[in-house]
């Protein structure tokens, strides 16, 4: 059974940092695209960042580019999201997701595997 488990969420003040982790089990995702999405109350789930299987290619939404960094440890089957200079508008539940393909995609329905989410709250 495939499982994605996020951790590292919490509450911080604006300007602070958090590092999210997503540990995968049940199968290896070493060649799969992995992504992070978020959903704020009353809003649709939105793309945050994605990384190719090799880790050589990454892509970010314009709202987080320059502040967030995605990375992966293939040996640990884990993906990370380093979030710096956090803003109140970053407050949301953050979800890790795994795609079946090796092609970078920002579309949620291209990711069949999802974690349970971790809450990030940024206060002003």
């Amino acid at each position: 059974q495939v499982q994605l488990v996020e951790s590292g969420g919490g509450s911080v003040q604006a300007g602070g940092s958090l590092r999210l982790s997503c540990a995968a089990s049940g199968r290896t995702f070493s060649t799969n695209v992995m992504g992070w999405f978020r959903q704020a109350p009353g809003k649709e789930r939105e793309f945050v960042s994605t990384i190719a299987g090799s880790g050589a290619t990454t892509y970010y939404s314009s709202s987080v580019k320059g502040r967030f960094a995605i990375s992966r440890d293939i040996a640990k089957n884990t993906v990370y999201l380093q979030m710096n200079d956090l803003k109140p508008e970053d407050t949301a539940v953050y979800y890790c997701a795994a795609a079946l393909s090796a092609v970078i995609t920002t579309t949620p329905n291209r990711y069949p595997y999802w974690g349970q989410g971790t809450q990030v709250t940024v206060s002003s």
Side-chain angles (χ1 to χ4, degrees):
Q1 181 181 358
V2 175
Q3 275 194 315
L4 301 178
V5 179
E6 303 98 333
S7 61
S11 297
V12 296
Q13 290 190 327
S17 298
L18 285 172
R19 188 194 195 203
L20 305 183
S21 299
C22 171
S25 62
R27 61 163 284 178
T28 181
F29 290 100
S30 60
T31 60
N32 299 75
V33 166
M34 301 288 291
W36 286 96
F37 294 79
R38 67 186 182 186
Q39 188 167 19
K43 295 187 177 181
E44 292 187 355
R45 189 168 299 190
E46 66 170 349
F47 165 77
V48 175
S49 181
T50 184
I51 186 167
S54 66
T57 303
T58 59
Y59 187 73
Y60 301 90
S61 70
S62 58
S63 61
V64 307
K65 190 173 183 180
R67 299 187 296 121
F68 290 12
I70 191 171
S71 61
R72 67 192 301 166
D73 185 328
I74 292 175
K76 295 183 178 179
N77 218 16
T78 299
V79 177
Y80 306 96
L81 186 68
Q82 178 66 43
M83 306 186 295
N84 299 324
D85 190 23
L86 283 161
K87 303 177 180 181
E89 51 264 42
D90 294 318
T91 295
V93 177
Y94 283 71
Y95 297 90
C96 171
L100 288 176
S101 75
V103 178
I104 288 283
T105 177
T106 65
T107 307
N109 64 16
R110 296 292 183 92
Y111 292 81
Y113 302 109
W114 292 83
Q116 83 290 348
T118 185
Q119 177 70 46
V120 171
T121 303
V122 184
S123 58
S124 58

